[in-house]
Amino acid sequence: STDKDAVVNSLDDAITSSFIKFINQNEFKKYLDEDPSEKIEFESIALKKGKQPKNMEQSMKASVTIKTADGHGSGFLVSNDGYILTNLHVVAGAEDLTVITNNSKSYSAKLIRKNENKDLALLKVDDAFEYSFNISDQKNYNIGEDIFAISTPNSIQLGQTLSKGIISGERISEEEKFIQTDASVNSGNSGG
């Protein structure tokens, strides 16, 4: 069953990636009629910054498992008032979202925003948390530095599992910048 899930997840990722590449092609974009009156304007969300984690134990407290009817993934707190960032494919199509913290507390979560091109989703749970990650808009790493992945590989029982690697490179694909790492990631790590 695990091998089957890995194949299904790999195919899903490949199809999603191909679709995003397709819709980003100039030939496709020129056929889209864009009516400015139909654009959705979002209100800005003021994230209440919690304490930035200083060690792995605190980092694990700011990391969560996200459970859906079809499986699970990972996420992390970006504010102390319950905003969580994850990958969109973790929650896409799910009606019921459950967030599980490292101390096994469960919350019902709501999808607040999504960005299909970046495969990102912002969730919200109603509670206060001590630690949350601050996301920098500036480069704050160097090639060769240690990196840690905190997430939920393969099974929910493995929630907030830690794997270690290095930042092994930077890559640009279709004008997007990616950070390459050799940290071990498996099905369920998405969003961590």
Side-chain angles (χ1 to χ4, degrees):
S1 176
T2 304
D3 290 338
K4 182 180 177 184
D5 291 343
V7 170
V8 169
N9 288 338
S10 295
L11 287 172
D12 186 43
D13 288 346
I15 291 168
T16 300
S17 176
S18 296
F19 179 73
I20 290 170
K21 287 178 184 177
F22 172 74
I23 64 173
N24 284 324
Q25 291 179 359
N26 289 332
E27 295 83 21
F28 177 79
K29 288 180 180 180
K30 73 180 181 183
Y31 292 107
L32 294 177
D33 291 329
E34 191 169 283
D35 182 357
S37 66
E38 294 180 359
K39 285 189 178 180
I40 298 171
E41 294 292 328
F42 289 111
E43 287 184 33
S44 176
I45 297 174
L47 299 178
K48 294 182 180 179
K49 300 290 183 183
K51 293 179 190 173
Q52 175 78 6
K54 302 283 186 214
N55 57 44
M56 286 306 131
E57 181 180 349
Q58 293 171 357
S59 295
M60 288 179 169
K61 290 180 180 179
S63 301
V64 299
T65 299
I66 300 166
K67 182 180 173 186
T68 69
D70 296 326
H72 76 278
S74 305
F76 58 94
L77 288 152
V78 292
S79 73
N80 71 343
D81 58 343
Y83 284 98
I84 297 166
L85 195 60
T86 187
N87 287 123
L88 178 59
H89 71 266
V90 169
V91 298
E95 292 186 25
D96 294 318
L97 302 172
T98 302
V99 167
I100 306 167
T101 61
N102 77 319
N103 63 357
S104 300
K105 191 168 181 181
S106 293
Y107 299 89
S108 178
K110 181 179 177 184
L111 176 64
I112 301 297
R113 302 246 175 97
K114 62 183 180 178
N115 183 320
E116 293 172 355
N117 290 334
K118 303 277 186 193
D119 190 27
L120 292 175
L122 183 67
L123 308 181
K124 176 76 168 80
V125 298
D126 293 324
D127 205 350
F129 299 88
E130 185 175 7
Y131 298 101
S132 65
F133 291 99
N134 298 326
I135 301 173
S136 175
D137 59 355
Q138 304 294 316
K139 181 178 174 178
N140 59 359
Y141 61 88
N142 291 305
I143 305 299
E145 281 186 314
D146 287 339
I147 191 166
F148 299 89
I150 303 173
S151 47
T152 307
N154 298 322
S155 163
I156 289 179
Q157 289 76 22
L158 297 175
Q160 287 75 39
T161 296
L162 181 69
S163 63
K164 180 180 177 183
I166 62 166
I167 297 174
S168 52
E170 295 175 321
R171 304 288 179 252
I172 296 178
S173 175
E174 298 181 18
E175 300 178 24
E176 293 290 332
K177 189 173 187 178
F178 294 91
I179 301 170
Q180 180 181 344
T181 179
D182 65 351
S184 176
V185 290
N186 298 288
S187 176
N189 283 106
S190 293

